[in-house]
Amino acid sequence: MKLSRLRAIPSVDKVLQALGDTGLPRPIVLDLVRRELQVLRTRKTIPDLEAVVARIRAVVFDVRTSRIQPVINGTGILVHTNFGRAPLGMDVIAAMSAVASNYSNLEYSLTRGARGGRAAYLEQGLAVLCGAEAATVVNNNAAALVLILRHFCRAAVNEVVISRGELVQIGGGFRIPDVLESSGAKLREVGTTNQTSLEDYARVITRRTALILKVHRSNFFMDGFVSSPLTEDIAALARKTRKRRIVFVEDLGSGAMFDTATVAGLEHEPTPAEVLGHGVSLVCFSGDKLLGGPQAGIIAGSRTLVAALKHEPLFRALRCDKLILSALEATVDAYLRGESGVAILEMLRVTNEDLRVRAERMIAALDGLPLAARVGTGPAQVGGGTLPRSVIPSLTVDLVHRTLKPQELATRLREQAIPLIGYIARGTLKLDLRTIFPRQDQDVLTAIRAASTL
Ligand SMILES: *Cc1c(COP(=O)(O)O)cnc(C)c1O
């Protein structure tokens, strides 16, 4: 790179011309070019046009790849938070797409020909699925929690009782104690990190207690000298306290609607129905973790409490849009009809024999490339901060390139038209087929071919 104090800064037009077609809308490119040239103006020395353009090209590439686009998930992490959590099944997409491209009866009763309730069918379906009197839905589980806290915590009655073992942080900097306090709740911590008893709860309950909150340890586990009271016992305590019922809420985090222990390698995750059966007044959980639907926060439980939450002014600010409602409705319908159509469930249930057939077919198709490909094994995980201790034995396509280091191969795979993301273990780049849809196998082969040929 030649540097010169005297060289003039190239004109915007000149740079644009040199860049050619970038695949980005022109106003964005123009903006990037102007910003970069502005930076150059502060420099003592100006690189030549070629260097300036190369630098801008790199910036353009960065911006272009930051656009939301599909990626192929070869990590074996099913609910990958960085990859958008649960992918939706094709039937769910079809339902969503029909609603998106047309007018719909979102808030219109077709029988009465007048304004109707929003999400009534979905709420009923969710209630049935959760074995609850009623259910409703907001933007995400964090919003569900905020809504619940705001509603039940009033000036004089604002204490939320929670075990010290449950003051957790969920991904993305979401800390339960911070959420509580920002919602106007006063934290009433009980017990210790590893031990909380029913008496610990009973001791702090006063006229100022608004609710008891139980937060499922969804993204970590504790072992050893650990104990906490049964949900049933806390529920009984909440019911009989000082002749007034205290609301008992459980944040389940994930919301598995089936017995996860039936999947090889998974532990049991409490279901909303189970928790409500134990006497919790309200349960809340995410729509896009183990449920496998779109981003949403579901609240289920007592009819009166759910109705009260829906009357809270904040509810309006947290409500879901029609696309989410239709996707969630189709997901819930799929469960009620017998579970096919939920992508996450299909990935959980696929057998390693099926994966092996695909792996061998793919490896055969990679013949002749400068890399060694073979079938391997690896631990798939639910991810998304759920079932942290559970590992699903899975199958991988293992790649070792003749000249590229695993990191270099990984970078090249990420740079493909449809980025392919795997993981590296013991010097091998591994692609877990459990999280790769069979319909993506051809794209995987295309990406590997393009990335491995130098
Ligand atoms: C994931 C999680 C949340 C946050 O849910 P979002 O839907 O991401 O807002 C809250 N609580 C628990 C226990 C969780 O695991």
Side-chain angles (χ1 to χ4, degrees), residues 141 145 209 315 337 355 376 423 450:
N141 192 23
L145 211 50
T209 308
F315 181 77
R337 293 208 157 96
L355 296 182
Y423 65 97

Side-chain angles (χ1 to χ4, degrees), residues 351-419:
T351 64
N352 280 352
E353 289 74 62
D354 289 340
L355 296 182
R356 183 175 293 277
V357 172
R358 285 173 53 205
E360 283 169 355
R361 204 181 299 142
M362 288 167 87
I363 287 165
L366 292 173
D367 206 32
L369 293 177
L371 48 75
R374 56 172 200 86
V375 183
T377 57
Q381 276 173 291
V382 174
T386 47
L387 294 162
R389 196 161 21 179
S390 293
V391 159
I392 310 159
S394 194
L395 234 68
T396 55
V397 167
D398 292 1
L399 304 174
V400 177
H401 197 274
R402 249 178 244 153
T403 49
L404 294 172
K405 293 198 182 82
Q407 277 299 352
E408 290 168 333
L409 183 59
T411 306
R412 281 163 158 261
L413 288 171
R414 280 202 310 275
E415 285 169 356
Q416 298 307 311
I418 305 179

Side-chain angles (χ1 to χ4, degrees), residues 216-273:
H216 180 55
R217 286 180 202 131
S218 54
N219 58 0
F220 71 109
F221 52 86
M222 293 204 292
D223 217 347
F225 187 48
V226 174
S227 86
S228 49
L230 292 174
T231 304
E232 295 92 309
D233 295 339
I234 306 176
L237 175 71
R239 259 197 309 275
K240 66 172 192 226
T241 302
R242 288 172 198 263
K243 294 198 193 94
R244 120 187 126 82
R245 189 184 174 139
I246 288 172
V247 179
F248 177 25
V249 177
E250 175 148 5
D251 172 9
L252 260 189
S254 188
M257 289 298 178
F258 60 99
D259 182 5
T260 48
T262 58
V263 177
L266 294 193
E267 296 185 305
H268 178 72
E269 176 86 0
T271 65

Side-chain angles (χ1 to χ4, degrees), residues 1-10 45-49:
M1 188 163 73
K2 285 178 267 160
L3 298 176
S4 159
R5 277 164 206 278
L6 303 171
R7 201 179 344 246
I9 290 178
T45 51
I46 310 294
D48 61 13
L49 178 67

